[in-house]
Amino acid sequence: MTDIRAAIEAELKRLELPDGGNLISRDMVRALSVEGGVARFVIEAPSADIAKKMEPLRAAAERAAASVEGVERASVALTAHEQSTKAPPKPAGGSDEGAPSLKLGGHPKGGQSSIRPASVKSLIAVGSGKGGVGKSTVSSNLAVALAKQGRKVGLLDADIYGPSQPRMMGESKRPASPDGKIIEPLKAHGVTFMSIGLMLDPDKAVVWRGPMLMGALQQMLSQVNWGELDVLIVDLPPGTGDVQLTLSQRAQPTGALIVSTPQDVALLDARKAMDMFNTLKTPILGLIENMSVFHCPQCGFEAHIFGQGGVVKEAEKLGIPFLGALPIDLDTRLAGDAGKPIALGDGPMAQAYAQLADRLVQGGMA
């Protein structure tokens, strides 16, 4: 069947598109299968308007597939990547000027070839194994803290289902793509950053299967003009799924930082994240304990809401560097919601992130 699939794809490559390329080179063929002599696949057009004009091409593709030896009949459907040609609402403060016409979330390309930007010296993945431990807050503030030290820093929001960095970094305008291929990332607080949240309607859910997630990650790494960076911080989604797998296998991170609260339930998932990175041969640079303690602003009492010292003990047990403990802090939350990370200031939390950045630099990690 593999030979028949290859033969069908070879025939489809002969069908040139009016604006260049063919159905295969433009990644428009989906769910190609051959069973019982019947070949089936879907042609996915970039938009509903374009799909309406592609019936002759669909019919030609059906004939081409049916001409392959071993195929008795072909059935080809036509669909559109976008459900509507209506442009999504602009994010608050955004602009459509120079907005890219890229199709996001296509299937990944290039096999297992590297997608790590050549201009990035160090690529650090920030993971947790679970949600709700403040991983995105740590990522944005660490990026700002490193930038304040004079380093060239990038921040990639790879949490495709729940992108939060546009809010935390205070930028929501749509990135430009003058040539429709390379995306120009945004800059905020001295950090170059990119998020799929900048490209989609902020009120719409991303309902994608694994291949589309991997394709989107590939695009945000290899089709973004990151420029020369000392370090690119990648804010990963919760869990140990397709995005983590693709990043570790095809972007060769310098290493991973694991964020966890002290409680046992969070550490259970943090251990799974560490096991995943170990399996994928990604070095674990260190552990960070977030929401370590609550300091009452009125009475000064310290409350260990999520337990005490769990991450420190885990780091000691595994022989992994412990990079710091960050308290649960109201100002940090307010700063993130306002799009002005707490690391921009000079208070205690800003100093804590500066110390975390120092440890990364001193360890040769950033």
Side-chain angles (χ1 to χ4, degrees):
M1 181 180 131
T2 301
D3 291 340
I4 296 179
R5 283 175 57 95
I8 292 173
E9 291 178 352
E11 288 298 320
L12 295 179
K13 287 179 181 178
R14 301 174 183 272
L15 303 178
E16 296 185 358
L17 301 176
D19 54 347
N22 57 67
L23 290 173
I24 301 299
S25 68
R26 295 280 292 277
D27 190 31
M28 296 171 72
V29 175
R30 299 282 181 267
L32 172 58
S33 67
V34 181
E35 186 175 351
V38 180
R40 294 184 175 89
F41 58 90
V42 175
I43 297 175
E44 185 180 73
S47 70
D49 283 347
I50 293 177
K52 293 175 183 177
K53 303 174 184 177
M54 289 182 65
E55 173 54 28
L57 180 64
R58 185 206 66 78
E62 199 167 75
R63 290 193 298 272
S67 71
V68 172
E69 184 177 355
V71 177
E72 298 174 8
R73 181 169 62 86
S75 175
V76 180
L78 185 60
T79 187
H81 180 71
E82 299 171 357
Q83 297 301 314
S84 169
T85 56
K86 181 182 177 182
K90 293 184 292 183
S95 169
D96 280 333
E97 183 180 355
S101 57
L102 294 169
K103 184 180 79 170
L104 291 172
H107 287 210
K109 303 175 183 178
Q112 291 300 310
S113 60
S114 177
I115 57 173
R116 176 169 172 163
S119 58
V120 173
K121 295 179 183 177
S122 179
L123 191 154
I124 297 177
V126 181
S128 62
K130 70 179 277 108
V133 298
K135 168 183 50 59
S136 295
T137 297
V138 170
S139 297
S140 58
N141 279 286
L142 179 57
V144 169
L146 287 165
K148 283 178 66 178
Q149 294 181 350
R151 285 170 175 77
K152 297 176 182 177
V153 184
L155 174 63
L156 171 57
D157 185 357
D159 191 350
I160 294 171
Y161 286 137
S164 55
Q165 293 300 349
R167 169 61 67 89
M168 290 186 172
M169 295 298 286
E171 279 286 354
S172 59
K173 76 178 179 182
R174 195 170 170 85
S177 177
D179 62 359
K181 298 178 181 179
I182 300 300
I183 304 170
E184 295 296 330
L186 302 187
K187 293 186 181 294
H189 315 304
V191 175
T192 301
F193 93 100
M194 179 62 196
S195 169
I196 201 167
L198 300 169
M199 309 288 285
L200 304 175
D201 184 338
D203 296 324
K204 296 294 184 182
V206 177
V207 187
W208 288 350
R209 295 188 185 275
M212 296 182 76
L213 297 177
M214 295 184 285
L217 177 65
Q218 176 177 340
Q219 287 177 289
M220 291 194 294
L221 279 168
S222 61
Q223 289 183 243
V224 169
N225 182 21
W226 288 108
E228 297 289 334
L229 294 179
D230 295 316
V231 58
L232 174 60
I233 294 173
V234 181
D235 177 18
L236 290 172
T240 55
D242 292 314
V243 171
Q244 289 87 341
L245 183 65
T246 299
L247 183 79
S248 294
Q249 290 183 329
R250 298 190 61 190
Q252 300 87 44
T254 306
L257 300 178
I258 304 297
V259 179
S260 178
T261 55
Q263 73 202 86
D264 291 341
V265 172
L267 283 166
L268 285 173
D269 291 320
R271 292 186 190 107
K272 293 173 185 175
M274 288 187 281
D275 181 65
M276 175 198 67
F277 284 122
N278 286 328
T279 301
L280 296 172
K281 304 296 188 292
T282 298
I284 298 172
L285 304 178
L287 273 66
I288 300 169
E289 185 172 277
N290 197 29
M291 307 184 202
S292 178
V293 62
F294 173 69
H295 298 281
C296 177
Q298 277 75 40
C299 67
F301 176 74
E302 291 187 355
H304 295 276
I305 300 172
F306 297 108
Q308 185 174 5
V311 179
V312 178
K313 294 173 184 175
E314 190 71 16
E316 291 174 350
K317 182 176 76 173
L318 298 175
I320 295 172
F322 177 70
L323 299 178
L326 301 165
I328 186 168
D329 178 69
L330 176 61
D331 288 339
T332 300
R333 194 272 294 172
L334 293 173
D337 284 349
K340 298 179 180 179
I342 196 76
L344 288 168
D346 54 9
M349 288 303 298
Q351 293 173 19
Y353 277 107
Q355 291 170 2
L356 178 57
D358 285 339
R359 293 186 187 106
L360 284 174
V361 172
Q362 291 165 5
M365 309 168 198

